[in-house]
Amino acid sequence: MKNISHINKLIKKLSPTTELIIVLIIGFGFFIYSSTRSFFVVNSDYSHSWIYKTTSQSYYSIVIYEVIALLIIIYILRVRNWRLIDFNLGFTFRLVWIALLLMFIRNIIGNIGFKVLELTNVIDDSTIKHVQYGLETNWISISLIIIINSIYEEIILIGYFFKRLEKYHPALIIGLSLIIRELYHTYQGWISLIVIIPTGLVFGFYYYKHKKIWPVIIAHGFSNLIAFFNMHFHWYEKISNLK
């Protein structure tokens, strides 16, 4: 009990900046490291496509890590007198429709961005095919990763991050959250820029304006679900073949 009391005192003495750094390291430090490492390996060789084998075991490991990390973060924030209301977790079914709209807007912006880069010869079909995924998972692990990961990322990167930096200009908050989001998605290669920039901007702008976290979480979940369907049914390849 004395050790816990001592730890709690240390936590309470943390400055807001130190608290922010600790939460981000716990939340995304490992993912940023592994993603960055993969990015440099993948982009060191463009002579062939890289295939990531996604397995149920790897997804279970991620889910376990995120649950434990989130519990640690929640403990730290409770000791520092954060409240549940600070995360704007109020839910109504109307928010589901807003989530679908966010996903639609994000996809439209992403597709326009891709077309612009394609027309200017910045990217082509090989950019997408450079990093591919081999789906070797069951739907239980996929369901868990969609639910847990969507809640995990947006609670920390939107709910917590925006509240902690609420005194600063929204452009700075949205920009920094976007950079962090990019950093742990770089394993996807350069194509991640096209996907993540619209996601970060749309989610960040919506949350700043409306302070509703569930539409962002649900939109994230739907987007991941579509990505898994694409990996399973190879929608992009079929559309490309039609062209």
Side-chain angles (χ1 to χ4, degrees):
M1 290 297 292
K2 288 183 179 179
N3 288 336
I4 294 175
S5 177
H6 180 65
I7 292 171
N8 288 349
K9 287 179 180 178
L10 291 176
I11 292 174
K12 288 180 180 179
K13 289 180 180 179
L14 296 175
S15 68
T17 302
T18 305
E19 173 203 289
L20 175 64
I21 293 171
I22 289 173
V23 168
L24 292 179
I25 288 174
I26 294 173
F28 302 111
F30 171 75
F31 298 118
I32 290 174
Y33 166 76
S34 59
S35 185
T36 303
R37 185 170 177 272
S38 296
F39 175 80
F40 283 112
V41 171
V42 166
N43 287 282
S44 65
D45 184 2
Y46 269 83
S47 62
H48 67 282
S49 296
W50 291 81
I51 299 177
Y52 288 115
K53 295 293 185 181
T54 57
T55 64
S56 294
Q57 183 179 358
S58 65
Y59 281 160
Y60 288 138
S61 298
I62 292 172
V63 167
I64 291 170
Y65 178 90
E66 290 184 342
V67 168
I68 293 173
L70 189 58
L71 288 174
I72 293 172
I73 291 170
I74 289 171
Y75 178 80
I76 292 172
L77 297 182
R78 283 194 65 183
V79 172
R80 291 181 57 79
N81 298 319
W82 280 70
R83 302 166 299 166
L84 203 59
I85 196 174
D86 292 326
F87 296 90
N88 300 300
L89 288 166
F91 178 80
T92 63
F93 284 103
R94 176 176 172 271
L95 299 179
V96 176
W97 297 107
I98 295 174
L100 292 173
L101 179 61
L102 289 179
M103 187 179 67
F104 177 75
I105 294 171
R106 170 255 194 193
N107 288 342
I108 290 295
I109 295 173
N111 288 334
I112 292 173
F114 179 81
K115 284 298 179 184
V116 170
L117 294 176
E118 197 174 38
L119 289 171
T120 54
N121 296 319
V122 175
I123 62 172
D124 54 30
D125 240 18
S126 64
T127 309
I128 294 177
K129 293 180 179 179
H130 181 59
V131 178
Q132 300 182 49
Y133 300 89
L135 199 60
E136 299 177 357
T137 58
N138 58 51
W139 284 101
I140 295 175
S141 64
I142 289 175
S143 299
L144 284 174
I145 199 75
I146 288 173
I147 294 169
I148 300 300
N149 180 257
S150 300
I151 293 172
Y152 180 83
E153 287 189 20
E154 305 310 334
I155 285 290
I156 299 173
L157 195 53
I158 296 292
Y160 167 75
F161 193 79
F162 278 56
K163 180 67 177 178
R164 170 47 69 206
L165 299 181
E166 63 182 349
K167 295 180 181 179
Y168 295 93
H169 193 280
L172 177 64
I173 305 172
I174 295 171
L176 288 175
S177 69
L178 173 58
I179 290 171
I180 296 169
R181 196 182 293 270
E182 284 282 5
L183 287 174
Y184 62 81
H185 282 99
T186 51
Y187 67 92
Q188 297 174 354
W190 293 111
I191 196 67
S192 68
L193 291 173
I194 304 168
V195 177
I196 302 305
I197 288 177
T199 301
L201 293 178
V202 172
F203 287 6
F205 181 76
Y206 169 81
Y207 185 78
Y208 180 81
K209 293 291 290 184
H210 301 283
K211 299 297 186 293
K212 300 289 184 184
I213 192 68
W214 278 111
V216 174
I217 293 173
I218 296 170
H220 186 146
F222 278 140
S223 297
N224 283 348
L225 180 61
I226 291 174
F228 281 118
F229 277 142
N230 182 47
M231 283 188 276
H232 182 73
F233 295 108
H234 306 287
W235 287 341
Y236 179 80
E237 291 178 18
K238 291 176 181 177
I239 292 173
S240 296
N241 290 335
L242 288 175
K243 292 178 180 179

